[in-house]
Amino acid sequence: GNITGPIRDAFSEPLLFVYGASDPAQARANLEVAKAWSVIRFGVDVHYPILSDIEFFARGESVANDKSLFLIGNATSNRVLAAIESDLPIAVKNGQIMMSNGQHFSGNEIGAVFIRPNPRRDDRYVVVVEGATALGTWRSLSLPDLIPDFIVYDEHVAPSRGQMLLGPGSVLAGGFFDNDWAFPKQTEDPLARTRRPAAKSESDATPYLP
């Protein structure tokens, strides 16, 4: 396949979803997030296989998989992610999202989604959806449909749920990796510092009908 990103490109390849069940506190949320990401998204009507990390290894699946891997849950809960995390540009450490360019972020419901070539098999993708907590992973379901190669978010992305683009939500960082999969120089969401005013309520926004 042609490894170019962004995240939606992974859905055009054979894909295996693996959710982290090794931490009981995160397993249920990780499974629900895996189900939500795996169903008709981006107009693709395919049902992708979903395994727990425990089932993945019990079945003898390889981290250098024939399929692109879609990993849900942080390395504490997902042993497939734990196996390759040191070769990935974003990780959860001490409740923060740490980026290999030195940036780090903390917040409520903080998490990250990113796509890379699989470090163990560079002609296949790995997509990671991880939060510092189960709620952070769950909050990924508020991301809009069109997202770049990487995105770091917290509770302030909530208003973007169900949207094509971020719209009224904001993220902490995001962008496209360079050709060699390095971070670009500018990764911050320029709108993250200036919180946009909340959308007016339905009643405020509805024009008066004659």
Side-chain angles (χ1 to χ4, degrees):
N2 186 16
I3 302 288
T4 57
I7 287 158
R8 64 185 298 170
D9 284 5
F11 285 83
S12 62
E13 310 267 327
L15 204 50
L16 177 60
F17 280 75
V18 185
Y19 72 94
S22 292
D23 174 7
Q26 299 182 56
R28 169 96 189 275
N30 287 346
L31 172 58
E32 294 304 320
V33 171
K35 285 179 181 170
W37 275 90
S38 73
V39 295
I40 313 171
R41 209 172 159 89
F42 312 128
V44 184
D45 186 4
V46 183
H47 287 278
Y48 297 101
I50 300 176
L51 298 174
S52 72
D53 62 323
I54 297 164
E55 292 168 316
F56 180 92
F57 288 115
R59 280 177 36 161
E61 292 281 353
S62 169
V63 177
N65 211 276
D66 287 341
K67 295 181 174 175
S68 291
L69 298 176
F70 204 110
L71 307 179
I72 311 281
N74 61 38
T76 308
S77 66
N78 193 324
R79 291 187 304 149
V80 183
L81 177 58
I84 56 174
E85 186 174 62
S86 61
D87 294 316
L88 296 175
I90 297 176
V92 173
K93 295 261 190 305
N94 303 320
Q96 294 189 312
I97 299 293
M98 311 292 286
M99 292 175 25
S100 60
N101 64 0
Q103 288 182 282
H104 51 92
F105 300 93
S106 54
N108 286 329
E109 301 177 16
I110 194 160
V113 178
F114 61 95
I115 186 168
R116 301 274 297 176
N118 183 337
R120 303 278 178 89
R121 179 161 180 176
D122 62 11
D123 64 336
R124 293 289 182 270
Y125 282 127
V126 60
V127 178
V128 177
V129 176
E130 62 179 343
T133 61
L135 268 178
T137 304
W138 179 264
R139 180 52 68 197
S140 73
L141 299 183
S142 294
L143 288 167
D145 277 357
L146 295 177
I147 49 180
D149 291 345
F150 68 92
I151 196 159
V152 179
Y153 59 85
D154 63 7
E155 60 191 336
H156 294 104
V157 78
S160 300
R161 187 178 180 115
Q163 307 291 313
M164 282 296 279
L165 302 167
L166 268 173
S170 63
V171 297
L172 299 171
F176 293 92
F177 291 113
D178 294 343
N179 289 340
D180 57 357
W181 294 93
F183 281 110
K185 289 190 170 48
Q186 176 68 27
T187 64
E188 290 188 34
D189 174 4
L191 297 167
R193 293 185 182 285
T194 56
R195 296 271 177 234
R196 271 156 284 185
K200 292 193 164 93
S201 71
E202 293 275 318
S203 58
D204 293 346
T206 310
Y208 288 108
L209 297 173

